[in-house]
Amino acid sequence: MQPDHILLRLGEITLKGRNRTRFEQQVMTHIRRTLKPYPKIEVTRTFGRIIIRLNNEPYEEIREALKKVFGLSSFSPVVKCAAALEDIQQTSYAIMKSFAEEPATFKVRVKRADKKFPHRTQELLPLIGGYVLSRMPELKVDVHQPQVELTVEIREEGAYLFSEIVQAAKGLPVGSSGTCMLMLSGGIDSPVAGWLAMRRGIQIEAVHFHSYPYTSEKATQKVIDLTRILSAYTDQIKLHLVPFTEIQTGLKQMKKDNLLITLMRRAMFRITEKLAEQQNAAAIVTGENLGQVASQTLSSLQVISKVNTLPVLRPLVTMEKDEIIRLAEKIETYETSILPYEDCCTIFLPKSPSTNPNLRVVEKMEQEMHWLEDEIEKAVSQTEIMVIKSGEHAPVQTSVQTSVQTSIQTRDEEMDALF
Ligand code: ATP
Ligand code: MG
């Protein structure tokens, strides 16, 4: 049966004491923003519940959009009728008749929020159930494991009837926990890490390091696409595109291959910290995981993290790869992540990176690279910012495109020269 309303339930934000009102408002704002393409809907908030009046806007599309609103625990498509016994009985019957396959068992649940309603809950159960049973002779009541649980919520302004509970994204409204920089590579892990951070209320700004001409335009486009997929869970995401070629080639020329990844990642973190400062971000989020690759042993993470003063959040650190892949599939980043375009880390990957880098050696090397600090500053100042909104297909900024096109032909030659 086509619903005319949707009843939304807020998740754990209802537990958050004095912050509750602020969180509720953030969820409301997010719902309104997400449902902007449906101008006829009306969203109201009463008694810790949010109700959407559909006014003929398409429920199926709105259902999918609502699944991307963090802070909602579940929702139900609802048929509203007058708060009068006869109307409730008829609507209950209409709902029970509307299933493609007629259910064998059911149960009625009544919530009598309007205490002035003339019938008490205990009277209502047989009045509603009996009415339906008398018209559907095959149907039986099963109070323990019914196929359909028909809920009737009676309020002053009307009765809300529903039989389905759709699980939503849960978590906290995006933005309620502040802003963090997400180091976004284009691989499978970092988009998932970003999504998990967003689910805990974090507004992310993505930071991507590219090494034109060694990495291709398509690799950047892939990161833009991933950012766009993530932006469906918030309003928009800023993507910082950091030119990393100079630093990476400079580090490569140090001819200390086993420490190259450690040095590169320390430089990436330094730059990300500087961008975080500019954007007032409170922490850095990465897709690092324990034990996946050489740079992700505990001792590597320790040496790499020494450059940071901000907290580094690693939502995936203890997860299994197949769990991460399942999440990537669920949030629809997987297909994009597995596209073959190479990331700057993969291209410069040495044969045997150290799994146990020595902090003193690394620091000494960095001190000898007198150019490093300047190049880091230059990378920060030459970072380009794109604002990515879900549904929009903004092109890569012209300045980047030009530099890609002119340099792409020489890519193979330069690669040869470097290795
Ligand atoms: P991912 O699947 O996210 O690429 P990974 O398993 O390949 O991760 P690494 O290559 O060691 O692991 O990268 C670890 C983390 O460092 C990434 O999850 C990401 O947060 C960050 N990172 C790596 N490369 C880049 C890049 N080019 N730009 C921004 N961040 C990066
Ligand atoms: Mg990677």
Side-chain angles (χ1 to χ4, degrees):
M1 196 170 170
Q2 208 49 32
D4 42 46
H5 287 69
I6 306 175
L7 194 133
L8 311 177
R9 298 173 196 90
L10 298 170
E12 57 185 288
I13 62 172
T14 50
L15 305 172
K16 298 285 175 184
R18 278 185 303 169
N19 284 331
R20 178 181 158 159
T21 316
R22 181 168 63 88
F23 284 172
E24 281 187 7
Q25 276 161 358
Q26 279 166 326
V27 177
M28 287 286 279
T29 309
H30 197 144
I31 291 169
R32 290 210 167 93
R33 213 160 44 201
T34 307
L35 300 185
K36 227 180 187 165
Y38 310 99
K40 284 191 281 170
I41 60 151
E42 292 164 61
V43 188
T44 48
R45 189 173 55 149
T46 42
F47 309 106
R49 292 281 179 85
I50 296 172
I51 292 173
I52 297 175
R53 187 183 169 138
L54 287 168
N55 292 326
N56 289 324
E57 295 282 18
Y59 167 68
E60 285 73 18
E61 284 177 28
I62 290 174
R63 175 185 61 202
E64 293 314 304
L66 285 175
K67 285 183 187 168
K68 295 191 168 162
V69 176
F70 289 124
L72 287 179
S73 74
S74 67
F75 55 88
S76 292
V78 164
V79 180
K80 187 180 175 186
C81 68
L85 181 60
E86 209 172 302
D87 291 75
I88 294 171
Q89 286 172 324
Q90 284 166 7
T91 312
S92 300
Y93 171 57
I95 291 176
M96 291 307 297
K97 273 308 261 187
S98 69
F99 290 94
E101 203 173 312
E102 213 161 273
T105 57
F106 89 131
K107 169 189 174 178
V108 179
R109 218 164 60 98
V110 171
K111 278 192 183 172
R112 189 167 156 271
D114 174 14
K115 298 296 172 211
K116 292 199 289 298
F117 191 73
H119 302 275
R120 290 173 169 277
T121 305
Q122 287 314 315
E123 294 164 35
L124 277 167
L125 290 171
L127 282 172
I128 300 168
Y131 183 94
V132 174
L133 287 169
S134 68
R135 281 156 185 78
M136 296 175 72
E138 303 293 312
L139 188 66
K140 300 219 164 3
V141 173
D142 180 346
V143 288
H144 301 296
Q145 277 191 315
Q147 268 177 26
V148 173
E149 184 167 302
L150 179 70
T151 303
V152 180
E153 225 178 274
I154 304 171
R155 295 186 179 271
E156 253 174 62
E157 75 276 11
Y160 297 86
L161 283 76
F162 61 88
S163 61
E164 188 190 351
I165 295 179
V166 182
Q167 293 305 315
K170 305 193 169 52
L172 301 173
V174 172
S176 60
S177 304
T179 300
C180 293
M181 309 309 276
L182 166 69
M183 292 171 70
L184 185 62
S185 66
I188 294 170
D189 299 341
S190 39
V192 175
W195 184 85
L196 286 169
M198 286 163 85
R199 196 173 66 169
R200 295 313 298 164
I202 291 171
Q203 172 64 50
I204 53 164
E205 293 199 16
V207 181
H208 177 68
F209 296 84
H210 61 79
S211 287
Y212 291 115
Y214 307 108
T215 56
S216 69
E217 183 189 7
K218 282 187 175 155
T220 305
Q221 188 56 49
K222 180 175 159 182
V223 172
I224 294 171
D225 293 342
L226 287 169
T227 310
R228 184 167 293 116
I229 297 170
L230 291 178
S231 71
Y233 292 86
T234 174
D235 181 25
Q236 58 185 38
I237 296 179
K238 268 196 222 167
L239 169 62
H240 302 256
L241 292 169
V242 187
F244 202 53
T245 320
E246 294 300 323
I247 294 175
Q248 219 169 0
T249 48
L251 295 176
K252 174 83 187 162
Q253 274 150 20
M254 295 301 291
K255 306 263 182 247
K256 215 47 175 127
D257 264 11
N258 63 334
L259 289 178
L260 181 60
I261 292 283
T262 311
L263 293 164
M264 254 166 52
R265 300 196 54 70
R266 280 168 65 93
M268 281 184 177
F269 271 110
R270 283 205 176 96
I271 294 169
T272 308
E273 279 237 350
K274 286 181 193 283
L275 295 172
E277 242 167 65
Q278 286 178 357
Q279 305 296 322
N280 267 329
I284 296 171
V285 180
T286 77
E288 283 161 317
N289 181 271
L290 213 49
Q292 263 193 26
V293 289
S295 61
Q296 297 178 7
T297 60
L298 268 186
S299 47
S300 278
L301 289 180
Q302 196 188 13
V303 172
I304 293 165
S305 295
K306 279 277 187 235
V307 297
N308 286 112
T309 55
L310 287 178
V312 178
L313 311 182
R314 300 178 167 97
L316 311 184
V317 80
T318 59
M319 281 172 76
E320 295 290 316
K321 191 70 186 182
D322 64 337
E323 291 171 341
I324 300 171
I325 290 177
R326 246 182 294 142
L327 251 181
E329 284 169 342
K330 187 180 137 192
I331 65 170
E332 294 168 6
T333 52
Y334 184 72
E335 290 298 318
T336 307
S337 286
I338 57 171
L339 292 173
Y341 319 119
E342 292 198 273
D343 176 30
C344 61
C345 286
T346 346
I347 280 188
F348 285 70
L349 199 67
K351 281 191 195 71
S352 53
S354 169
T355 53
N356 187 17
N358 183 314
L359 179 63
R360 264 180 312 169
V361 175
V362 171
E363 283 178 343
K364 191 157 173 288
M365 279 179 75
E366 284 173 347
Q367 277 159 18
E368 284 162 11
M369 293 183 246
H370 303 296
W371 50 270
L372 185 59
E373 204 48 53
D374 283 352
E375 285 299 336
I376 284 177
E377 289 301 333
K378 214 163 93 191
V380 171
S381 67
Q382 289 179 353
T383 292
E384 299 190 48
I385 301 180
M386 293 179 74
V387 176
I388 312 278
K389 282 182 188 246
S390 122
E392 270 181 20
H393 290 274
V396 182
Q397 284 184 358
T398 337
S399 53
V400 177
Q401 261 180 346
T402 323
S403 69
V404 177
Q405 272 150 15
T406 49
S407 53
I408 210 102
Q409 303 89 332
T410 58
R411 188 175 161 202
D412 289 344
E413 293 154 37
E414 290 193 46
M415 284 280 267
D416 287 346
L418 199 66
F419 293 97

